[in-house]
Amino acid sequence: MSNSKSDLRAKALAKRDALSDKKRVAAAAKLAKRGVPFELLPGSIVSGYSPIRNEIDPVPLMRRLADDGARLALPCVTARGQSLIFRLWHPNDRLMLGPLGIPEPSPAAAEVIPDIMLTPLAAFDRLGHRIGYGAGHYDFTFAHLRKTKHVVGIGLAFAAQEIEAVPALSHDVALDYVLTESDVFDFRSPEVAHSLRG
């Protein structure tokens, strides 16, 4: 039985794809109701993402954070191996299709550096490691942005996407938190991550 990243990714995505629409909507609503597990400073820039491939929908949580005083942004893809850029976004703004076919804000929207990045993923473990889709956009972006400021990385996922261990490499950047519909995982302490149910 292989535990390569590609095999682990495929298994986790199969579990994610098997979830019913009802479970998906309920999970996104639970994330929004709970919010983030720390005090959000007024004016914090929170970047989310446009959900694709059955990803958990971050928009209900983003709306909640905007109600709590956050400014919202979405990522824009520039090129493989380059950092994502982020543009301010409001839930009523129209989006355009970016180079990968993912909805992005207009190039006219102001470019910003997020304080908090809500991050999609294929799979995660209890050390805060994530498996993405293989292009390395988020690892590269975290590494690039964290040269100048600490950007809080919050993975959003369904509980079904948790795996025992991600075969992390030196360039893989660990998350600070992962939020699922049933748990809040906090990876900031040096001990094994703790989870808060609810």
Side-chain angles (χ1 to χ4, degrees):
M1 191 150 155
S2 170
N3 278 334
S4 73
K5 270 193 182 178
S6 57
D7 289 343
L8 292 168
R9 179 186 296 116
K11 287 176 197 161
L13 291 178
K15 285 185 183 176
R16 186 174 81 181
D17 291 345
L19 295 171
S20 68
D21 288 344
K22 187 176 175 185
K23 280 189 177 167
R24 291 172 197 291
V25 171
K30 281 184 181 176
L31 290 192
K33 185 176 179 189
R34 193 190 306 125
V36 291
F38 51 84
E39 186 180 347
L40 188 71
L41 298 175
S44 293
I45 298 172
V46 177
S47 90
Y49 55 89
S50 296
I52 58 168
R53 307 185 203 170
N54 293 324
E55 290 169 344
I56 195 163
D57 187 353
V59 175
L61 173 59
M62 292 173 74
R63 288 178 184 271
R64 153 79 189 268
L65 297 179
D67 290 344
D68 292 345
R71 297 165 68 205
L72 302 179
L74 286 175
C76 301
V77 175
T78 51
R80 192 180 179 101
Q82 288 191 4
S83 179
L84 298 166
I85 61 168
F86 300 87
R87 296 190 185 280
L88 286 178
W89 173 76
H90 184 275
N92 295 332
D93 291 351
R94 289 188 62 180
L95 297 173
M96 312 168 44
L97 285 186
L100 298 181
I102 300 169
E104 299 179 351
S106 155
E111 195 174 320
V112 292
I113 295 176
D115 299 297
I116 298 164
M117 275 170 59
L118 303 178
T119 309
L121 49 85
F124 72 95
D125 68 15
R126 293 201 175 199
L127 293 175
H129 296 296
R130 67 183 277 280
I131 296 177
Y133 301 120
H137 287 299
Y138 278 92
D139 287 321
F140 194 90
T141 301
F142 274 119
H144 174 71
L145 295 182
R146 285 178 173 172
K147 288 175 187 165
T148 51
K149 77 184 222 184
H150 182 73
V151 178
V152 177
I154 303 178
L156 301 185
F158 297 102
Q161 293 172 257
E162 182 183 346
I163 62 173
E164 194 170 325
V166 170
L169 302 171
S170 60
H171 66 267
D172 292 334
V173 177
L175 296 162
D176 297 295
Y177 301 90
V178 168
L179 311 182
T180 72
E181 71 274 26
S182 54
D183 285 283
V184 173
F185 295 99
D186 182 347
F187 306 113
R188 295 163 311 145
S189 71
E191 301 116 40
V192 175
H194 59 281
S195 142
L196 309 166
R197 282 271 185 207

